[in-house]
Every structure is written in C-alpha cells, then in structure tokens.
C-alpha cells in the first residue's frame, strides 16, 4: 500500500480537527453533553457522502459543502436531546404562524390583536425548516417580531425564555428543533386568518372587506 504523502496527512489532520470543532459547536448550540467524536461517528456515513466529488463532477462550492456538513452535525446534535430545553433557538428564527385552533388564545385574552400581524397571500415569509424566504400561498396571521430582528416579541433574551411558554401557539408546541424536517404536516394545517379572527366582530370585518 502506498504511503500517504506529507501534504495529504496535513490535509487530513486539518479536516479532522475542523470536523471536531464543528461537532463541538453544534453540541454547544443545542446544550448537549455528548462527546464530539461520538457525534461524528453517529453520522460518519452521511458526512462521507457529502465529501467533495472528483474533479469535474463537483458543482458545490467549498462553503456549500461546509454548510451541508454543519447541518448534518447540527441535526444529529439535536437528536441527542429529544425534548424542549427552552434554549430560545426557535424563538429567534422567526415568529410562529397561528393555526385555526389558536383562536382560543384570543378568546382567553392570552393574545391581543396588537400582538399579531397579517401576511397577505403572495408576500414573502421565512420557511423555518429551510431557513429561506418564499412567497406564502395563503393569508397568514403571525406573532409580531422584535423590531430589527427575527425574534418573536415574547422571547426574553436575558433569560432565553418565552414569556407565554405555557400558553404558546400550537406551531411552537409542534415544532421539534431537535428533529429538523420539512414541516409539511404543520404547514398543511388550517391556518388562522382575519375572517376567522374577526368573525365575532362582523361589522369591523365588513369594513375591512
């Protein structure tokens, strides 16, 4: 077997070190005490599949490959602690969209009209699972965000806490950040809209129409 030349040894050592740092960073982000090397071993096949392809066959940039590896490690890190730790990660990536069943929060005066905004059909919203902007196919009602940020207004940065955690919207309850997914099942649920929200104040709804 041919010996690995010095350049390849240095390159391999650098890659392993960088991979351990990414794993350590991912674990710290989700508050997991899992050993970084154990995390890497758990997804080694996935990481190997993301390795750069032979020259002429690779259409991804180095940055894109790094992002894919990082996402793989982060997903695995979340899976090591499958429960909500109230770390605030979800709260800072955009406010929740209200679903039809969330109208009870208004009926119980846990949410007020001043807490929400309307996103009309065709306006751009952030898709949480893909962390990308896309036009919405239907009208949405969302909790407001802290001005100048993507954090929900009920997120309290000082304590990494949700001020309405026990009465948080259904989408927040269903979101499992430790198991990132496309969330099609959540997205396909009936959303709350202005017609439903204002149905008990019909004269006001007639003016809006």
């Amino acid at each position: 077997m041919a010996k690995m030349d010095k350049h390849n040894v240095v390159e391999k050592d650098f890659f392993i070190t960088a991979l351990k740092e990414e794993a350590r960073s991912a674990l710290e982000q989700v508050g997991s005490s899992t050993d970084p090397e154990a995390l890497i071993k758990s997804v080694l096949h996935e990481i190997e599949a993301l390795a750069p392809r032979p020259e002429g066959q690779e259409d991804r940039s180095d940055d894109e490959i790094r992002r894919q590896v990082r996402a793989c490690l982060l997903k695995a890190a979340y899976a090591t602690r499958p429960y909500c730790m109230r770390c605030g990660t979800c709260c800072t990536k955009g406010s929740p969209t209200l679903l039809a069943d969330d109208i009870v929060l208004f009926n119980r005066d846990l949410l007020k009209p001043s807490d929400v905004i309307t996103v009309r059909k065709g306006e751009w919203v952030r898709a949480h699972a893909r962390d990308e902007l896309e036009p919405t196919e239907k009208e949405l009602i969302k909790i407001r965000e802290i001005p100048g940020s993507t954090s929900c207004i009920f997120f309290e940065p000082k304590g990494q806490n949700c001020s309405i955690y026990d009465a948080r919207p259904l989408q927040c309850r269903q979101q499992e950040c430790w198991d990132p997914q496309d969330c099609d099942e959540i997205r396909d649920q009936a959303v709350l809209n202005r017609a439903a929200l204002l149905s008990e104040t019909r004269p006001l709804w007639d003016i809006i129409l």
Side-chain angles (χ1 to χ4, degrees):
M1 181 180 293
K3 292 184 179 180
M4 185 179 294
D5 62 43
K6 185 175 181 180
H7 173 75
N8 288 335
V9 170
V10 172
E11 191 174 72
K12 181 179 179 182
D13 289 344
F14 176 80
F15 174 75
I16 292 174
T17 300
L19 198 57
K20 287 181 180 178
E21 285 302 313
E22 287 288 359
R24 187 174 292 108
S25 176
L27 290 165
E28 288 178 355
Q29 181 174 329
V30 304
S32 174
S33 59
T34 299
D35 178 68
E37 291 190 18
L39 183 73
I40 293 171
K41 288 180 181 178
S42 72
V43 289
L44 190 56
H45 291 305
E46 289 91 334
I47 292 175
E48 289 176 342
L50 294 173
R53 304 182 185 100
E55 187 175 351
Q57 299 179 27
E58 182 58 74
D59 57 359
R60 299 168 298 166
S61 66
D62 290 344
D63 284 342
E64 186 175 356
I65 293 173
R66 280 192 288 269
R67 283 195 298 270
Q68 291 176 347
V69 170
R70 190 177 301 118
C72 179
L73 289 168
L74 187 59
K75 180 177 180 178
Y78 274 122
T80 64
R81 39 133 291 202
Y83 57 91
C84 179
M85 293 180 62
R86 301 180 69 169
C87 64
T89 300
C90 297
C91 307
T92 60
K93 291 187 176 181
S95 62
T97 295
L98 299 184
L99 303 178
D101 289 345
D102 287 321
I103 198 166
V104 67
L105 299 177
F106 292 93
N107 293 337
R108 293 167 56 192
D109 206 30
L110 296 170
L111 284 180
K112 298 178 174 58
S114 59
D115 296 327
V116 299
I117 59 170
T118 297
V119 179
R120 293 174 176 79
K121 180 179 178 180
E123 292 186 332
W124 292 79
V125 294
R126 183 170 298 281
H128 289 258
R130 294 180 297 282
D131 196 27
E132 298 174 350
L133 291 174
E134 60 182 26
T136 178
E137 298 178 354
K138 48 190 153 185
E139 180 179 288
L140 307 173
I141 292 181
K142 293 177 63 67
I143 299 293
R144 289 184 180 277
E145 294 175 354
I146 297 173
S149 77
T150 57
S151 296
C152 175
I153 59 170
F154 294 112
F155 176 61
E156 299 175 337
K158 187 175 181 180
Q160 296 291 100
N161 184 49
C162 169
S163 62
I164 60 167
Y165 186 80
D166 291 333
R168 64 196 185 281
L170 187 58
Q171 191 178 72
C172 299
R173 295 176 181 275
Q174 293 179 333
Q175 176 66 40
E176 297 181 346
C177 64
W178 56 90
D179 184 20
Q181 54 185 310
D182 193 23
C183 296
D184 283 328
E185 183 178 340
I186 295 176
R187 191 166 54 244
D188 289 341
Q189 294 181 54
V191 297
L192 186 63
N193 54 35
R194 289 176 298 168
L197 182 58
L198 300 173
S199 60
E200 297 181 12
T201 55
R202 189 67 204 182
L204 178 58
W205 179 238
D206 288 338
I207 293 173
I208 294 174
L209 284 176

